[in-house]
Structure formats: C-alpha cells, structure tokens
Amino acid sequence: MFADEIRDYCIAKKGVTESFPFDETTLVFKVMNKMFLLVALDESPVRFNAKCDPEKATELREQYPDAVLPGYHMNKQHWNTIICNDFLSEKQTKQMIDDSYNLIIESLPKKVKAELESL
C-alpha cells in the first residue's frame, strides 16, 4: 500500500482525525483523540506503526520478519512497525490497521465510546 491509500483507508473510519504533531513527515491518525497509527511519509517503501495485542505482535514479527518489526520509537510490546513491501497483502495490511483502530476503541471510556457511536 502507498501512503495515500493508507490515509484514505484510515480517514474513512468513524471518529478519525489526522495531524502532524511530531514533524512534517510523520502523519498521525487518532480516533477520538487517541493515536492508533503513525505513517512515515519520508520512507520508501512506506512504513507505519500500528498498535497490536502483545501476543499477536510477537506472532506477526516471527511470521513476517521482513515486513513486521517492533514499533519504531514506540512501546515495543504494544506497537509494530509494518513495512509496506511485497511480503504482506493489502488485505493483511488493512487488517493490521483495523486491529489497531479497534484496540483503541476498546480502551476508550464508555462516555467517549458513546460519542463515537453517535457520529
């Protein structure tokens, strides 16, 4: 996937905003003001960090060592860096984005979840 495809996929999700809080090359996606994805726009191939269940994170790293790495500049237990190369399909990449988004939604307080549902 390319950065613009990742952006289009993320921004279409309910409650998602985008910003550049760190620098001009790291695009950050948040759901209800909680970060779920960071895309490095200055990397080729494109790389992004996604939140992941710790057990699944380790499993993915072992299964795809050339495409899934411990999260760069993130908590390595809970975040993976995904390299958009030929080792993962678009479906797998989107699933990792979905998993990250859903993990953040699950962690939201009930009141914020209700706000999200009402959007």
Side-chain angles (χ1 to χ4, degrees):
M1 288 183 80
F2 296 103
D4 59 334
E5 294 171 311
I6 294 168
R7 182 197 175 274
D8 291 346
Y9 189 73
C10 290
I11 207 71
K13 294 182 172 297
K14 189 183 271 194
V16 171
T17 58
E18 62 183 335
S19 64
F20 289 90
F22 305 117
D23 58 40
E24 63 279 349
T25 61
T26 306
L27 179 57
V28 176
F29 294 95
K30 296 179 180 182
V31 57
M32 302 307 286
N33 213 29
K34 291 203 60 138
M35 190 167 45
F36 75 96
L37 203 86
L38 298 89
V39 182
L41 299 176
D42 59 347
E43 296 283 335
S44 183
V46 173
R47 295 171 182 244
F48 65 87
N49 285 357
K51 193 159 178 79
C52 192
D53 171 76
E55 287 181 26
K56 189 171 183 179
T58 302
E59 191 179 298
L60 288 168
R61 291 175 202 158
E62 289 171 358
Q63 193 172 3
Y64 304 103
D66 294 322
V68 182
L69 310 170
Y72 181 71
H73 282 309
M74 305 296 281
N75 179 326
K76 310 234 182 298
Q77 185 178 1
H78 296 277
W79 290 82
N80 279 337
T81 295
I82 291 78
I83 304 169
C84 296
N85 53 26
D86 295 333
F87 292 98
L88 295 172
S89 69
E90 183 175 330
K91 182 178 178 182
Q92 289 170 309
T93 302
K94 285 181 176 179
Q95 185 60 56
M96 291 179 195
I97 294 169
D98 292 344
D99 289 346
S100 182
Y101 176 84
N102 291 329
L103 277 171
I104 296 301
I105 289 175
E106 289 170 15
S107 73
L108 294 172
K110 285 182 183 179
K111 181 180 177 183
V112 179
K113 281 183 190 177
E115 279 180 49
L116 176 63
E117 289 174 17
S118 70
L119 294 177

